[in-house]
Amino acid sequence: MSFNVARKRMVAEQLVGREIKDQRVLQVMNEVPRHHFVDSGLWIRAYEDGPINIGWGATISQPYIVAFMLEALELQSTDKVLEIGTGCGYQTALLAHLAKTVYTIERVKELFFKARQNLKSLGLRNIVLKLGDGSLGWKDYAPYDAIIVAASAPSIPKPLLEQLAEGGRMILPVGGESHQDLVLVKKVQGRVLEKTLLPCRFVKLKGQYGHIKE
Ligand code: SAH
């Protein structure tokens, strides 16, 4: 099966088949080559219905979870987005197609360089990468219309809340070892509204507002 066929099938079965409806999200997941972000030994697994280990304790999330989070963010093509946990850059590439500019932070040096290379070779230019502790956010470019966190936090990191724009949306997994939930946060007229959407399982957020302060 070619990658294009496998990808179409992933979208039809794993996303449309499970009620992902946002046409822009479906289109971009049909276009961005997920296999490009993993080592060639893992290409065969690139469009499977599950997470993929990418080393250094990181995983690319299951396609359905990525689509679910992107749909929940209701991204506009004019949005400025902050992503915490670049990993190999797959979700960053999707965000770059859906929003105007993506600011993304990864704390593992090897993944940061890998993601930078992966994204550069796809010719994406509206992405700014940073190596550092994303639990602190990125004040220089705040506020953000949307924030997405790809690792589970013990609670919503305060700096991220502060850096969310009025009318902004944030999605992140919150919880510990045994139980986590995807939480959608909205800032409406200065008030913070939280909604629990789905149980999930992510790798842990490290850093100052993470589980492990290193
Ligand atoms: N979205 C990624 C998935 C990455 S998995 C992808 O598509 O590949 C979660 C990532 O969060 C890991 O790469 C991990 O190193 C990173 N991470 C954990 N704590 C972090 C922190 N405080 N700041 C930035 N990145 C962090």
Side-chain angles (χ1 to χ4, degrees):
M1 202 187 336
S2 76
F3 288 130
N4 286 353
V5 172
R7 197 155 60 242
K8 268 209 167 75
R9 200 158 136 183
M10 170 190 88
V11 170
E13 292 176 3
Q14 302 172 32
L15 310 185
V16 178
R18 293 190 190 126
E19 304 294 310
I20 299 293
K21 292 196 163 67
D22 186 322
Q23 287 305 317
R24 292 180 72 228
V25 170
L26 293 172
Q27 190 185 337
V28 82
M29 293 204 57
N30 212 351
E31 279 169 11
V32 173
R34 198 168 188 256
H35 67 273
H36 177 81
F37 293 86
V38 297
D39 293 338
S40 54
L42 291 170
W43 280 357
I44 190 142
R45 296 202 41 221
Y47 298 100
E48 283 180 5
D49 187 13
I52 306 175
N53 223 314
I54 51 172
W56 296 279
T59 55
I60 314 192
S61 304
Q62 182 188 14
Y64 173 70
I65 290 291
V66 176
F68 183 90
M69 292 173 85
L70 295 176
E71 183 171 66
L73 283 177
E74 299 179 80
L75 294 169
Q76 309 287 316
S77 54
T78 49
D79 280 350
K80 180 163 62 162
V81 180
L82 176 67
E83 178 190 47
I84 314 302
T86 320
C88 63
Y90 172 63
Q91 184 175 267
T92 321
L94 297 167
L95 289 166
H97 284 280
L98 292 166
K100 184 160 186 238
T101 321
V102 184
Y103 297 89
T104 184
I105 310 174
E106 171 57 55
R107 63 176 289 281
V108 175
K109 194 169 75 204
E110 289 83 352
L111 291 170
F112 167 82
F113 286 118
K114 205 177 250 223
R116 193 168 71 170
Q117 182 54 42
N118 286 340
L119 294 164
K120 197 173 162 200
S121 63
L122 285 182
L124 295 166
R125 301 200 177 278
N126 56 338
I127 301 168
V128 189
L129 296 102
K130 177 180 175 171
L131 177 64
D133 178 6
S135 78
L136 300 168
W138 196 346
K139 231 177 167 175
D140 301 359
Y141 300 100
Y144 301 96
D145 303 300
I147 300 179
I148 182 165
V149 186
S152 74
S155 59
I156 302 169
K158 205 168 143 239
L160 299 186
L161 267 185
E162 288 166 359
Q163 292 171 28
L164 190 63
E166 173 59 36
R169 294 85 54 203
M170 164 156 65
I171 189 157
L172 77 169
V174 178
E177 195 84 66
S178 57
H179 188 87
Q180 301 166 12
D181 285 307
L182 268 181
V183 176
L184 179 68
V185 179
K186 288 187 183 177
K187 209 181 246 186
V188 184
Q189 289 167 351
R191 282 176 52 218
V192 174
L193 310 177
E194 282 177 40
K195 194 170 164 193
T196 298
L197 300 179
L198 198 77
C200 58
R201 199 179 173 88
F202 278 77
V203 305
K204 281 186 182 151
L205 183 73
K206 295 186 176 175
Q208 197 167 324
Y209 289 84
H211 285 283
I212 303 153
K213 314 234 176 313
E214 63 177 37

